Structures are given as C-alpha cells and as structure tokens.
Amino acid sequence: RDFLPRGSGIVTRRPLILQLVNNKAEYAEFLHCKGRKFVDFDEVRQEIEAETDRITGSNKGISPIPINLRVYSPHVLNLTLIDLPGMTKVAVGDQPVDIEHQIRDMILQFITRESCLILAVTPANTDLANSDALKVAKEVDPQGVRTIGVITKLDLMDEGTDARDILENKLLPLRRGYIGVVNRSQKDIDGKKDIRVAMAAERKFFLSHPSYRHMAEKMGTPHLQKALNQQLTNHIRDTLPGLRSKLQSQLLSLEKEVEEYKNFRPDDPTRKTKALLQMVQQFGVDFEKCIEGSGDQVDTAELSGGARINRIFHERFPFELVKIVFDEKELRREISHAIKNVHGVRTGLFTPDLAFEAIVKKQIIKLKEPCLKCIDLVIQELINTFRQCTNKLGSYPRLREETERIVTTYVREREGKTKDQVLLLIDIELSYINTNHEDFIGFANAQQRNIVNKKRAIPNQGEVLVIRKGWLTLNISIMKGGSKEYWFVLSAESVSWYKDEEEKEKKYMLPLDNLKLRDVEKGFMSNKHIFAIFNTEQRNVYKDLRQIELACDTQEDMDSWKASFLRAGVYPEKDQVETEDAAPADTFSMDPQLERQVETIRNLVDSYISIVNKTIRDLMPKTIMHLMINSAKDFIHSELLAYLYSSGDQNSLMEESADQAQRRDEMLRMYHAIKEALSIIGDISTSTVSTPVPPPVNDSWVPESSPTPQRRPPTSAPPPSRPPAVRGPTPGPPTLNPIPAYVAPPIPSRPGQPMNAFGNSSLDPFSAPPQIPSRPARIPPGIPRRPPPRRPENQW
C-alpha cells in the first residue's frame, strides 16, 4: 500500500507509529480521529500530511509528538513499525537551529527501548562509514543484537560500482548483516506506480544484476519482511516467561479489590447499607489508630495524629507556660508596688502576705491564655486527623462531607465544655492559695534563700545529662565565616557544636549560665526558622558576637529545640516595654528593707507558681483527653452512624463519585483483560521455531559518539575481541543445529576459529566459491527456509 508521504527534503517531520494488525477486512484508523475508518489509502496519506502540518506547520518544522496509525489487513503480519525522521545537519524553513539535536533526541527516545529492532537505513550511493543511522544504532545497541542494516538506492549507484562487499557483510560487517532493497523513484511515485509492480521490478533487478544475483534470495522487501517477522518471533519467545509472571502478579494484586465488586449492582440498597456500615466502622478504627498509635501503616515521613497532640501537651504547652511566668524585672516591680500599696501610708516592718497573694493570683490568671491556646492547637490537630481518616471515604463525596461536618460540629461543641472546664480549674486555683502545700518553701526558707546564687540542678554531679542532639545551622555573617551546619549537643550545663555526628572535632562549648532565648524574624530570602541565644549580662556569647542565631528547617524542629533548652534551664526572654523614667526609680531607689521583702516574696511566688504550673501541666492533658479526645472517639463509635442516618436519604449519601465508578470499570476491564491475556499466553506453543543470535563481528569501524555515553552498557567495547564461546546463550554451537540441512562448509565464526570471526574480511573463509561467502554473515531469518516452510509465522 502506498500511503506514507514521500518527496524531496525532510518529509517525515513527526514520528509515525504504524501498527499492523492481521484482520479479514482492510482499513486504517488514526488515534487522533477515533471511530473513522479509512478504506482509501490516498486519504490516509493526506491525513498524515494534514496532521503533520497541524502540529509542525507547513514549512519543514518538526515535532516529537507521534502520529498513531493502525492498519488492519489480511496481507500483513502483526508488527509495529515506527517511521522516524532522517538525521538532519542544517536547519531549513521553520526548523529550529538545533534541529540536529532535536531529531537525535527524538530518535533515541524510541531506539533505546530493549524491545525494538533498529533498521539502520543507509543509501548505497553514500559512504557507509559515515552513516548516521549506524552510528546512533551502535550507541544504544553496542552488541549489535537489535540492529539490521538496510541498504537502499542500489539501482542509483554509479556504473561500474556495486555494494556486493557491503551486502555480503565483508566490507563493514554488522552482526545481523545487511539487506538490500530497491524502492520506487520519485518519478515512479509521482506516476502512481503500483507497489506490487515495483516489488516485481525489485526482484527482477536482484536476479538480473551480476553482482547480486547469487544472493537474490536474501535481498529485497519480501525477505526484509520475513527477517523482521522472525526477529519478532524470537523476541516473543524470549519475553513470554517474564510477561506471564508479570501478568500473574498483576492479577493477584487486583483480585482482592475485584472481589469487592464481583456482585456489584449500583442500585442495590442492601449493598449500600453494608458499605455505609463498613465505612463508618473503618473511619472509627482509623481515627483511634491515629490517636492511640498502631503498629501497622506507621508514617515515617512526619509526625501525625496522636504524636502531634502529645508534642503539644509536653513540649509546646510547657514552653508557653514558662514564657509567660519568667519575666524577672516586671515581676519584681509588681511585687514592690504590691508591698507599698498593702502598707499604704505606713512603713511596714514585716513582709505582707496580702502582697504575696495578689502577685500569685495575677500570675495564675496569666495561665488562662496558654491553656486556651493549647486547646485550640489540639482541636486543629483533631480536625486534621479527621480529614486524614476521611480520605478513605473519597469514593462517596456526600458521605465524606456529611461525616466531616457531623464530627467537626461535635468537636466544636466539646471545645466550649473543655475551655469552661480548664478555666474552672484556674478559678479553683485562684480561690484558695494553699500555703501549707508540702512543696511550698514557706516564709523562713524564702528569707534565707538567695535567688542570685541559686544553681541549676544537675541529676548526677559526676556526669552531665545530655538533653538533645541534632543538626542546626549556625547563622554568622560571611565576613566571620558564613552560615554553616553543625552537630549540636545540648546538656544540662552547656551547649557544644561539632563538625559532624561522630563528635570527634569540637568547634565550641558554651556554658548555659545567664543564657536566654529570643525569636528572630526570618530573613528576606530565607525559609528557615531562627531563634537566638544571648547572655543576660551583655557578654559576648561566641567570638565577638553578643548573640548566636540558630536556624531550623521547620517550625516543629524549632519548637522542639526551644523545649529542650527549656529543660536545660535556658528560658525565653519576655518582650519588655518599659518607660525609661519609671525603671530607675523603682529599681534603684529601693531601700534595703523593701529589697529584702521583694526578694522574699519573689521566692515565695516562684515556689508557689511552680506548684501551680506542675498541677496545670498535669491536669491539662487529662482534661483535654477526657472531655474532647476520648469523648470524640466514643461519639464516632456509638453515635456517628445514627447522625448519618438522620441527616439525609441513605441513597443520596452513598452516591458514588464519577471517578470511583470509572476506576471500578477500569479495574474490572483490566482484570478480565489480564485473565484473557494469560489464557492466550497459555495457548501459545513454546515450540515456535526461533533462530539463534549471530556471533559478534568486528564492528569497531562504526564511529562511537560521546554525547550519550550513559546509554551505552558497560560492555560496549569488549565484545568484538571476545570469542563467541564466552557469550553465554549466543555462542557458535547453537548455529550448528541447522547445519545438516545445508550442504555448505561449516560457518567460519564458530568457537573453533575465534580470530576468523572478527578478523579482516578477506581471510580464508571467504575464498570459497561465489555462493558461500555470504553464509557467515547470513541474516538469521534465512534459516527457517527448511521444511516445513514458515509454519510458525502463520501462527503470528
């Protein structure tokens, strides 16, 4: 059939994927216009040209987007042919300047696949050693297993010259040799010369030409067809076992899901009821696993569910508490004001306990904000966890939406009760200041205790407790060495940083005395989270820096590091807004007696607030767990289903999404297709006649190109110099099986004479009578001409 566009210059400007399908009727179909059947092949050619111009324009532009054409005919073998553009060097018309690289990349996309055969087409009237096709084929197929040389334009060679040495695989040998073809000339195409007539002329040319008549049976388009079909047969035989096992594993993976849809009827109400029950139960189980933790499906990428809530309870919440309470100057000023106001006009001789109560109550009231913030954070995590668990309900959008709405409404309702309860706890603390608490230091101890000399508690005097280790970025200006990542080790006494986690090369050790934390705003171009450590006595912390900035990748990391510093006794500073006049008056004009009283009350407040903090830190997680999280779990298990039934019509709730219906149809279709494929593979006879791969030849004449070295397997160089016996499944011996059918001398390239297989083409084996020289390089598909003739091909 004559339907591929032909002409001068570059004609193929998009890859054409041509699938040939053996069929009783003859017609063609394009993928881009499904449903339309082309019976007239002139229309097929016009459609190819029109589709090429649609994407690439009409002025020689190119595109890697393929045209897919399927031809059904009783006269074809089942093959897929990909017609690619020829290698171009110079851009013409609308072609881009880098046309050579674009076409090369396009060709490599297809020929690098291990499953494809490469027809390296070269005109006979050009120098074969400069063939771009052979050069590119050698890059992706260095062993020559997939490359078949095709020589065209044999009828256009200068008089007195021929391509006999090339076609006999003597001059520039290829492992699979060369096949010569004679196509129609442009004049024949313009004159609509019939292809059958052209093939008869081709046959006549080979039979009548003195240089080619002895190998006419192995030349021409029909022989090329047979060669390709034989290679396809070989390939199918090689890949069948792997394909079978791959299909079986796919079938097994699909069976479980298909089981669910086996007796599926979309309108069956009993199935919908069952699905609703199952999904609500699964949602309850998933939520509980997310909160309580479980051994299956553990998320290793990030914290989720219960782990995040636990971090809020034990890292974020204590940090917020300490941030509020520890504000030394402000607290001392408030205590001195309280003492003076309690005494009024009198000068007090004793420390007033009313001042202590006033200050303690003020500090306890400040706990309300972090407690409420903690509840908000937990609610946000709960809602995120619900959403994560409802992902499995994605098949039923209405059900998912309704479930999320009901559960979120319930949580919001519990939020109010939880907040009321927490505020009640704080009010209870305010209602009675228990100075008889066993942990309270009492008045006598408070007077003796000096807060300035108080040392940080260390668990064991002999060893230093390591609180945390990890990577942090130390932000320093470029002038002083630039920002760099170090391995930080935080202990109860100091923070040290090392070159790496082996902790061999210590860069610096900073004692924690008088250190505090402060937040630092993110830089303009930086996406890291930063906090700083500084000395309260205005001393340099590291080299000549008053503070060092530490950067983390995520907010979670930063919160976690801050909480660790908190455990080591390094507290955050409180932003202080002070009037310059008031500060000196209150701080420095204190008489010694007032100073002692302030110090005493400060110690008492410190002691009592730590007791309250301890209580609140203990009760907050318990309150939230009881009133909110456990309550939500019970609600999901016992009441969610009833709410769903009462919220609307069950049928509308269980309406499938279009995506789910499509997915189900595709899955069932794939399942049946795989079953059918396995039964077809089971029917295929494994006794298909296949020919062994020819032994390697010395193809070092093909120039190797460097642009795509990564595509070349590591064995690209050795094969030519390696005797065939080393090559495992492709040694000489298999080629001896068909020999009894021929009356020819043994093939020279068998293991007995390894050097002859790769040596100069003019060696002894080729000095036999005229018919024989072509045998060593015979194209493998020539072998099946034994009786019975071509039976396996008919199966395919």
Side-chain angles (χ1 to χ4, degrees):
R1 287 287 177 184
D2 178 15
F3 59 85
L4 291 178
R6 290 277 302 275
S8 57
I10 182 166
V11 179
T12 306
R13 295 182 286 131
R14 287 174 63 184
L16 177 77
I17 299 177
L18 172 61
Q19 289 176 285
L20 305 178
V21 184
N22 194 278
N23 190 44
K24 288 180 182 174
E26 187 170 78
Y27 60 92
E29 277 183 348
F30 284 95
L31 186 65
H32 63 266
C33 44
K34 281 183 179 176
R36 184 180 168 193
K37 294 184 178 180
F38 292 81
V39 181
D40 182 354
F41 280 81
D42 282 336
E43 287 183 20
V44 173
R45 185 193 309 108
Q46 289 162 14
E47 182 61 34
I48 293 173
E49 289 171 352
E51 180 62 13
T52 301
D53 290 347
R54 187 175 69 80
I55 298 287
T56 61
S58 55
N59 196 12
K60 305 296 181 189
I62 65 154
S63 168
I65 303 167
I67 299 172
N68 290 72
L69 171 63
R70 192 174 279 181
V71 173
Y72 298 84
S73 169
H75 310 300
V76 298
L77 302 162
N78 289 333
L79 274 174
T80 300
L81 175 79
I82 302 170
D83 184 22
L84 294 164
M87 303 287 278
T88 305
K89 300 288 183 190
V90 182
V92 296
D94 287 340
Q95 290 172 355
V97 182
D98 61 341
I99 179 88
E100 181 183 358
H101 297 295
Q102 283 197 23
I103 292 182
R104 179 190 174 80
D105 290 343
M106 188 194 307
I107 290 171
L108 287 172
Q109 278 177 22
F110 291 96
I111 66 172
T112 45
R113 297 174 193 166
E114 290 296 322
S115 58
C116 83
L117 295 171
I118 304 166
L119 271 81
V121 183
T122 312
N125 56 1
T126 60
D127 185 3
L128 193 67
N130 293 332
S131 167
D132 286 321
L134 286 172
K135 180 179 172 185
V136 176
K138 174 77 183 294
E139 282 180 34
V140 296
D141 179 31
Q143 307 291 329
V145 176
R146 301 187 284 122
T147 305
I148 296 174
V150 180
I151 304 295
T152 61
K153 302 187 181 177
L154 288 164
D155 54 332
L156 299 183
M157 295 185 75
D158 290 347
E159 284 189 31
T161 61
D162 60 45
R164 177 173 169 171
D165 282 352
I166 293 171
L167 293 174
E168 288 179 349
N169 212 21
K170 289 180 183 178
L171 181 62
L172 304 168
L174 276 184
R175 189 167 184 170
R176 292 193 180 276
Y178 297 87
I179 298 175
V181 294
V182 176
N183 294 325
R184 295 172 302 163
S185 65
Q186 192 61 45
K187 182 182 175 186
D188 293 339
I189 294 163
D190 295 341
K192 304 274 193 255
K193 182 176 181 179
D194 188 79
I195 285 188
R196 281 184 287 275
V197 176
M199 285 173 74
E202 178 188 52
R203 173 111 180 116
K204 184 179 176 185
F205 171 82
F206 283 117
L207 286 170
S208 59
H209 197 291
S211 299
Y212 309 135
R213 64 165 72 111
H214 68 285
M215 51 180 155
E217 292 304 314
K218 298 192 294 297
M219 294 292 128
T221 307
H223 180 71
L224 180 59
Q225 286 176 347
K226 289 175 185 173
L228 294 177
N229 187 53
Q230 182 60 53
Q231 298 314 314
L232 180 70
T233 305
N234 288 0
H235 180 64
I236 289 174
R237 180 173 174 152
D238 292 343
T239 55
L240 269 186
L243 183 62
R244 183 186 285 112
S245 63
K246 186 180 175 186
L247 286 173
Q248 280 168 340
S249 67
Q250 276 184 313
L251 191 69
L252 282 172
S253 67
L254 279 176
E255 252 168 9
K256 192 180 281 184
E257 293 183 61
V258 168
E259 190 68 36
E260 195 183 324
Y261 302 124
K262 222 168 198 175
N263 307 312
F264 184 81
R265 288 191 298 281
D267 303 322
D268 182 3
T270 57
R271 200 202 162 281
K272 286 188 173 177
T273 308
K274 184 183 174 188
L276 178 63
L277 282 166
Q278 281 177 335
M279 290 200 161
V280 172
Q281 279 177 334
Q282 188 61 46
F283 172 66
V285 170
D286 288 347
F287 176 68
E288 192 159 344
K289 280 183 179 175
C290 270
I291 297 296
E292 301 294 341
S294 67
D296 56 336
Q297 297 174 347
V298 175
D299 186 355
T300 54
E302 59 177 359
L303 293 181
S304 61
R308 293 176 78 96
I309 292 171
N310 180 57
R311 209 190 67 206
I312 293 169
F313 286 160
H314 301 298
E315 286 186 12
R316 190 78 184 266
F317 179 55
F319 183 72
E320 294 290 336
L321 285 183
V322 174
K323 204 159 78 172
I324 282 177
V325 174
F326 280 88
D327 179 7
E328 200 63 45
K329 286 181 186 173
E330 182 71 26
L331 191 57
R332 285 174 182 276
R333 189 181 300 117
E334 284 177 5
I335 292 170
S336 72
H337 286 169
I339 292 170
K340 287 174 183 175
N341 287 334
V342 167
H343 289 311
V345 76
R346 294 168 290 108
T347 302
L349 298 174
F350 303 104
T351 308
D353 53 354
L354 285 175
F356 163 71
E357 279 203 23
I359 296 297
V360 163
K361 285 181 177 178
K362 190 168 182 186
Q363 292 299 315
I364 292 174
I365 287 168
K366 288 182 181 177
L367 296 176
K368 288 184 178 180
E369 192 186 330
C371 289
L372 296 177
K373 187 177 179 182
C374 175
I375 294 171
D376 290 336
L377 290 169
V378 171
I379 283 175
Q380 194 53 53
E381 288 302 337
L382 269 183
I383 290 171
N384 290 343
T385 308
F386 290 143
R387 287 194 179 136
Q388 192 181 328
C389 294
T390 53
N391 284 341
K392 289 189 180 176
L393 310 180
S395 321
Y396 303 99
R398 281 280 326 271
L399 176 65
R400 178 180 180 170
E401 190 182 311
E402 205 56 33
T403 305
E404 274 187 26
R405 185 187 65 76
I406 291 167
V407 176
T408 308
T409 308
Y410 179 77
V411 168
R412 290 295 177 196
E413 182 191 314
R414 300 304 296 175
E415 174 190 2
K417 293 186 180 177
T418 311
K419 284 184 174 175
D420 289 346
Q421 182 65 31
V422 168
L423 293 175
L424 179 64
L425 283 174
I426 293 171
D427 288 340
I428 289 168
E429 289 288 350
L430 285 168
S431 64
Y432 181 65
I433 307 299
N434 181 15
T435 51
N436 281 331
H437 194 285
E438 58 186 4
D439 293 337
F440 189 56
I441 59 170
F443 184 75
N445 291 334
Q447 283 184 315
Q448 293 167 6
R449 189 171 173 192
N450 189 339
I451 203 159
V452 177
N453 297 326
K454 186 176 71 174
K455 285 291 179 185
R456 189 176 296 102
I458 300 171
N460 296 318
Q461 293 298 327
E463 61 183 46
V464 177
L465 172 72
V466 173
I467 292 170
R468 185 184 174 116
K469 295 183 177 185
W471 290 100
L472 281 173
T473 304
L474 189 64
N475 278 358
I476 302 176
S477 65
I478 296 168
M479 298 295 289
K480 295 174 183 173
S483 298
K484 203 170 179 187
E485 212 171 13
Y486 291 109
W487 179 258
F488 276 73
V489 176
L490 174 65
S491 72
E493 286 189 321
S494 64
V495 59
S496 312
W497 51 95
Y498 298 83
K499 185 182 176 186
D500 52 38
E501 59 257 64
E502 290 178 7
E503 298 180 18
K504 286 180 181 172
E505 192 180 326
K506 185 186 279 193
K507 294 290 181 185
Y508 195 73
M509 187 179 89
L510 177 64
L512 298 183
D513 293 324
N514 299 319
L515 291 187
K516 280 206 173 181
L517 297 178
R518 66 161 61 116
D519 287 334
V520 178
E521 285 188 14
K522 280 203 273 189
F524 174 62
M525 298 295 284
S526 170
N527 57 355
K528 293 207 169 195
H529 300 267
I530 306 169
F531 65 96
I533 301 174
F534 66 98
N535 193 305
T536 52
E537 297 176 357
Q538 302 298 314
R539 292 182 184 163
N540 288 345
V541 181
Y542 174 59
K543 295 185 178 173
D544 56 346
L545 298 172
R546 284 293 168 91
Q547 68 173 30
I548 54 170
E549 292 182 3
L550 303 174
C552 309
D553 290 329
T554 64
Q555 180 69 42
E556 288 178 14
D557 275 354
M558 188 166 89
D559 290 344
S560 195
W561 268 105
K562 280 184 180 177
S564 301
F565 272 105
L566 203 64
R567 290 201 293 277
V570 179
Y571 299 111
E573 70 162 349
K574 177 68 179 169
D575 295 334
Q576 292 167 358
V577 182
E578 301 174 7
T579 58
E580 289 184 6
D581 304 331
D586 286 341
T587 350
F588 302 114
S589 67
M590 241 193 251
D591 63 89
Q593 185 183 351
L594 180 60
E595 200 170 331
R596 277 197 303 276
Q597 289 178 348
V598 167
E599 193 63 47
T600 303
I601 290 183
R602 175 68 188 90
N603 289 341
L604 291 169
V605 168
D606 189 27
S607 172
Y608 195 81
I609 288 298
S610 69
I611 293 169
V612 175
N613 272 355
K614 211 174 186 180
T615 311
I616 293 292
R617 274 212 307 264
D618 183 48
L619 283 176
M620 269 292 291
K622 293 176 180 175
T623 309
I624 292 173
M625 279 302 292
H626 175 66
L627 289 175
M628 194 182 296
I629 297 173
N630 290 346
S631 176
K633 280 196 292 191
D634 293 341
F635 174 79
I636 289 168
H637 280 303
S638 58
E639 295 181 56
L640 175 60
L641 198 59
Y643 273 91
L644 281 168
Y645 275 124
S646 64
S647 69
D649 175 27
Q650 182 194 337
N651 282 334
S652 66
L653 268 183
M654 296 304 289
E655 274 177 12
E656 273 189 310
S657 65
D659 290 348
Q660 171 69 6
Q662 185 184 350
R663 181 173 168 274
R664 186 183 64 252
D665 292 344
E666 281 177 6
M667 188 187 295
L668 290 169
R669 191 162 62 244
M670 186 185 282
Y671 178 74
H672 293 304
I674 291 173
K675 285 193 82 166
E676 189 183 346
L678 279 169
S679 68
I680 290 170
I681 289 174
D683 294 342
I684 293 173
S685 166
T686 51
S687 60
T688 306
V689 175
S690 64
T691 57
V693 179
V697 295
N698 181 8
D699 59 355
S700 57
W701 61 272
V702 180
E704 295 199 19
S705 181
S706 55
T708 53
Q710 71 274 17
R711 289 194 175 91
R712 190 173 299 127
T715 51
S716 55
S721 60
R722 193 192 298 160
V726 182
R727 283 195 51 83
T730 59
T735 58
L736 302 180
N737 298 340
I739 281 184
Y742 295 93
V743 206
I747 293 175
S749 61
R750 66 185 185 184
Q753 303 170 337
M755 293 311 292
N756 291 353
F758 313 109
N760 196 325
S761 51
S762 60
L763 290 177
D764 266 359
F766 301 107
S767 60
Q771 302 90 303
I772 294 168
S774 63
R775 290 207 192 267
R778 180 196 296 262
I779 307 305
I783 292 172
R785 286 186 300 125
R786 300 175 292 162
R790 288 269 158 236
R791 192 160 296 148
E793 287 171 14
N794 296 338
Q795 294 176 7
W796 298 98

